[in-house]
Amino acid sequence: QTIVNGFVSADVDLIMANATPALQAAASATGDIPVLGTSVTEYGVALGIDGFTGTVGTNVSGTSDLAPLDQQAAMIQEWYPDAQTVGLLYCSAEPNSQYQVDEVQKALESFGYTCTQYPFSDTNDMASVTQNAADNSDVLYVPTDNTVANNTGIVDNICHGKVPVFAGEEGICAGCGVATLSISYYDLGVTTGKMAAKILKGEANISEMPVEYTDATPKYNASICDQLGITPLDGYEAIDG
């Protein structure tokens, strides 16, 4: 908030906000300076907009890192059609994570899976909640959750070679997951930069700019697949490194 207030005081031409907390801080600090978010999962949730249709309509727009949630659920069915229970692991302090697991749960239940949500409040209870989820689930799903992304080692240490984890994005999958349907954050940055250029050059009005998305790619973690003794499915790319 202090940084954003400094931008407002300096009367900058545009504020780029990376991830939901930064977007919320910038949106609350100014209603005049254009604010472009990036790596924000769901703008309606982040900004408290009911019935969000894709365009904020104020001084805020940007890009989303959300991959199609129904397709993420279908990915689990594709890899583990005989599984019965799916644990949904996420940080309860992140509203975008709650949104994702709610939507994925609906899709998974339509496939016949029994789903249980396993929210943790912060890193203090993350290990114990993850252990509980692993003990009671055939498969785990983790959305694009910042807390998990910064602590994939905790999940991997508990699930290592035992319980498959499917992730909402590549970074988490690289640390602890079997497979993911992930956008490219590089491509997301390029898309956001092009939006910024249009605004700064006077070629677009931010209040009329819909939130933009990039294509998602199915990928797998070769190391985790080896640990679990499973063969990657056709159509999935190996995560580099």
Side-chain angles (χ1 to χ4, degrees), residues 89 118-136 154-155 158:
L89 180 69
Y118 292 93
F120 57 87
S121 57
D122 53 36
T123 53
N124 291 323
D125 63 340
M126 182 177 173
S128 61
V129 173
T130 302
Q131 186 67 65
N132 186 30
D135 290 342
N136 293 281
I154 293 176
V155 178
I158 293 170

Side-chain angles (χ1 to χ4, degrees), residues 109-206:
E109 289 177 344
S110 73
F111 296 145
Y113 292 103
T114 298
C115 299
T116 302
Q117 295 189 10
Y118 292 93
F120 57 87
S121 57
D122 53 36
T123 53
N124 291 323
D125 63 340
M126 182 177 173
S128 61
V129 173
T130 302
Q131 186 67 65
N132 186 30
D135 290 342
N136 293 281
S137 309
D138 297 326
V139 177
L140 294 185
Y141 170 78
V142 179
T144 55
D145 184 285
N146 293 318
T147 307
V148 177
N150 292 326
N151 297 276
T152 56
I154 293 176
V155 178
D156 188 50
N157 287 339
I158 293 170
C159 298
H160 188 87
K162 300 174 183 176
V163 181
V165 178
F166 288 83
E169 58 93 12
E170 182 176 339
I172 294 175
C173 188
C176 64
V178 170
T180 182
L181 184 64
S182 179
I183 59 93
S184 163
Y185 282 93
Y186 178 88
D187 292 344
L188 199 69
V190 171
T191 299
T192 314
K194 289 179 178 179
M195 293 177 72
K198 290 179 181 178
I199 294 168
L200 294 171
K201 291 163 68 176
E203 297 175 357
N205 183 339
I206 191 169

Side-chain angles (χ1 to χ4, degrees), residues 27-48:
S28 67
T30 177
D32 300 315
I33 298 172
V35 175
L36 277 181
T38 188
S39 303
V40 176
T41 304
E42 218 289 328
Y43 282 72
V45 173
L47 299 174

Side-chain angles (χ1 to χ4, degrees), residues 4 7-8 12-17 22 26 30 33-37:
V4 171
F7 290 161
V8 174
V12 299
D13 295 314
L14 183 144
I15 296 173
M16 184 80 76
T30 177
I33 298 172
V35 175
L36 277 181

Side-chain angles (χ1 to χ4, degrees), residues 76 80-86 112-114 138-139:
I76 294 175
Y80 284 89
D82 296 328
Q84 296 182 341
T85 57
V86 179
Y113 292 103
T114 298
D138 297 326
V139 177

Side-chain angles (χ1 to χ4, degrees), residues 100-115:
Q100 291 174 80
V101 298
D102 286 346
E103 293 301 310
V104 169
Q105 180 171 344
K106 293 176 187 176
L108 288 171
E109 289 177 344
S110 73
F111 296 145
Y113 292 103
T114 298
C115 299

Side-chain angles (χ1 to χ4, degrees), residues 88-104:
L88 304 159
L89 180 69
Y90 65 102
C91 179
S92 58
E94 300 185 33
N96 280 317
S97 295
Q98 183 70 65
Y99 169 79
Q100 291 174 80
V101 298
D102 286 346
E103 293 301 310
V104 169

